Amino acid sequence: MPVTERATGLSTTELAILGLLSYGERSGYDLKKAVEAGVGYVWTAAKSQVYAVLPRLVADGYATARRVAQERLPDKQVYRITPKGERAFREWLEEPVEERSGVRSPFLLKVFFGAKMNKEALIAHVERRRDEAARELAEYREIEQQIRDDPRSYFGYATLRWGLAEARAWIRWADELLRELRERP
Amino acid sequence: MPVTERATGLSTTELAILGLLSYGERSGYDLKKAVEAGVGYVWTAAKSQVYAVLPRLVADGYATARRVAQERLPDKQVYRITPKGERAFREWLEEPVEERSGVRSPFLLKVFFGAKMNKEALIAHVERRRDEAARELAEYREIEQQIRDDPRSYFGYATLRWGLAEARAWIRWADELLRELRERP
DNA sequence: TCAGCCATGTAATGGGTTACATGATTGA
DNA sequence: TCAATCATGTAACCCATTACATGGCTGA
């Protein structure tokens, strides 16, 4: 299960950052914010990783950096994607996705070992998962209201729809299992 | 997004292996097979990692090792969980699951950047995801036939049902998106 | 004869996380 | 006055993956 599946020696995180840079120049800080606000559902990175990745992109010619002085605020480095960066990103974008085989869910792992714990603990786990999914669903529905008619968000909305579908599927799955567990002796 | 979320200094992989050992003694090789056949959908590990983890569990008192000679085959190390191991596993099992915030899907990442690629490439991605989900669904349904009436597989079946639900959700999501993409100018 | 299973590991590499560090400004 | 935001990074750690290595047995 490679997290990497690189096209050109770039990690997926590097490519995600290149993708964000392809919309215009950004600082590390901006990128971290952009991730949290946008792609966050689909890809995350720790801030220290963002700062680690950017100089590497510059060193390899995928981006350039420029120091910008600010009033009252510390200087910042602003990064811009290069044609080489655009090309690498585009190539990666269009090449087929490596299938992820192996889901790696600590939650499902616990359910799998359900026979080894007492029933109440298991029920509590499933209830938590259900509540979490319900919370996510509410959150996604709010975002949906904001972006559903904005054509610029079309693809973000497509991924959001997966989030909505998944959250609903979790809720149905959990409800069914909870009903069963409560009926069981 | 910690993959770790440890209870006692044990990684989730170590706990998964402890969990399998709680069903009886196993060699590294057996464990790798058991993962592939059973928990595989929910948790995976490379074989080199299994072999790396086992001596660590022994060193920390969670398991004991015993050398077993075999006819015609190389010797094997057989591992048995200790009471300390049982306790650690059980504690981890019953404690609440750390919520995973951040999905990390390279596929959805590409969809998110759909505006940056040509339509055919995107359609191909979504079709592949759909086909992959259909393949998984067929596979899970076969497993379902084998375990649905076996009470020993009750919890495995519960996790499998998530797999079924998720695969069906992917198919519906993909079909809807494909219809839209094909209609779009 | 050749693939594939039995069985156990080492080595190199890399991606990613948390914690630590610094320091000014602004609004509650 | 205290928390938060702007801004950038270093250091330590560790989990995990791929590739490499060895070698006998079994069945097609």
Side-chain angles (χ1 to χ4, degrees), chain A residues 44 93 104 110 125 154 180, chain B residues 44 93 104 125 154 180:
Chain A
T44 50
L93 250 196
R104 223 147 251 260
K110 291 191 185 191
H125 285 324
Y154 179 77
E180 266 183 38
Chain B
T44 50
L93 250 196
R104 223 149 250 261
H125 285 324
Y154 179 76
E180 266 184 37

Side-chain angles (χ1 to χ4, degrees), chain A residues 55-114:
Chain A
R56 232 150 55 208
L57 291 176
V58 172
D60 295 346
Y62 298 106
T64 55
R66 173 169 77 85
R67 178 161 221 95
V68 175
Q70 296 182 109
E71 298 166 38
R72 265 177 276 258
L73 286 173
D75 288 4
K76 58 178 173 182
Q77 295 282 335
V78 173
Y79 296 85
R80 181 188 289 272
I81 193 169
T82 63
K84 180 182 174 185
E86 302 255 17
R87 216 154 45 234
F89 175 63
R90 182 83 190 248
E91 264 167 38
W92 167 78
L93 250 196
E94 302 198 348
E95 90 190 3
V97 182
E98 266 323 300
E99 272 336 316
R100 48 71 204 242
S101 50
V103 176
R104 223 147 251 260
S105 157
F107 168 71
L108 286 175
L109 187 59
K110 291 191 185 191
V111 175
F112 182 88
F113 286 121

Side-chain angles (χ1 to χ4, degrees), chain B residues 132-148:
Chain B
E132 173 66 14
R135 223 215 64 241
E136 277 171 11
L137 180 59
E139 189 188 321
Y140 296 157
R141 293 184 72 176
E142 271 198 35
I143 301 173
E144 189 183 20
Q145 294 315 308
Q146 289 156 34
I147 66 170
R148 69 177 312 161

